[in-house]
Amino acid sequence: MYNLGSSTIEEFQSLSAAMFTLFRCFTDGCSAYDGTPLSERLREEFGIAFSVGYVLIMMLVTVGIFNMTHMSSSSSSTRAVVAHELACLCDHVSGVSIKS
């Protein structure tokens, strides 16, 4: 397919291999075909720039997914509490009579 530069890492020799490798890193675990940690091999080849980028992307993905999950459950809980409080308030108000 396409050669992605002078990478000596087998997982990045073509565009399709690189895309599949990134998919595996975000879903299953970031290991090379031989089982060694791929992030360490990339750090050795590309240096500190890769390490910083890797940490930032992993933090963004991890924290972003956690926040989406947390906000979804918080929103559902908040709606349930507001509905319950409104029902209690309506019951309380319906029992009050106004005297003139």
Side-chain angles (χ1 to χ4, degrees):
M1 214 156 179
Y2 303 104
N3 189 355
L4 297 179
S6 62
S7 179
T8 58
I9 299 175
E10 182 181 1
E11 289 82 357
F12 294 99
Q13 290 297 317
S14 68
L15 181 61
S16 59
M19 290 172 60
F20 183 65
T21 300
L22 289 175
F23 174 76
R24 287 187 308 122
C25 282
F26 285 121
T27 57
D28 182 37
C30 210
S31 61
Y33 292 145
D34 61 359
T36 59
L38 189 57
S39 56
E40 183 60 25
R41 290 176 62 188
L42 289 168
R43 185 198 58 80
E44 288 173 357
E45 186 166 328
F46 298 108
I48 191 73
F50 169 77
S51 298
V52 170
Y54 180 75
V55 167
L56 290 176
I57 288 171
M58 291 306 287
M59 291 293 294
L60 178 69
V61 169
T62 304
V63 171
I65 291 173
F66 172 75
N67 278 341
M68 282 190 334
T69 305
H70 179 70
M71 291 308 294
S72 175
S73 64
S74 294
S75 177
S76 298
S77 299
T78 303
R79 280 194 302 263
V81 167
V82 167
H84 177 67
E85 291 295 323
L86 185 59
C88 288
L89 182 61
C90 287
D91 289 344
H92 178 70
V93 169
S94 66
V96 175
S97 61
I98 300 175
K99 295 182 181 179
S100 350

